[in-house]
Amino acid sequence: MTVTARCMDGGCTWEAEPAPAERAVGCESHAAVTGHRTFAVRLEYIALVTSEE
């Protein structure tokens, strides 16, 4: 699973690089530096579908 995030505070353009879900994406450190508190966080995973033929 991969996680990404972006800041939703006004015109801020901060965006985290995609990272494995078990690692922090940087929202906390961005919030600590800027005071921004609203983020869009996206979790994505890959599903492998197989058939039993």
Side-chain angles (χ1 to χ4, degrees):
M1 188 174 306
T2 301
V3 65
T4 57
R6 64 186 170 95
C7 185
M8 301 295 291
D9 193 287
C12 184
T13 60
W14 179 87
E15 193 167 331
E17 293 292 323
E22 55 274 357
R23 293 183 26 207
V25 294
C27 296
E28 296 86 359
S29 56
H30 179 73
V33 171
T34 63
H36 298 171
R37 301 284 183 224
T38 306
F39 298 87
V41 178
R42 182 176 177 166
L43 298 172
E44 185 174 23
Y45 67 93
I46 297 171
L48 179 59
V49 178
T50 60
S51 62
E52 295 182 26
E53 292 182 32

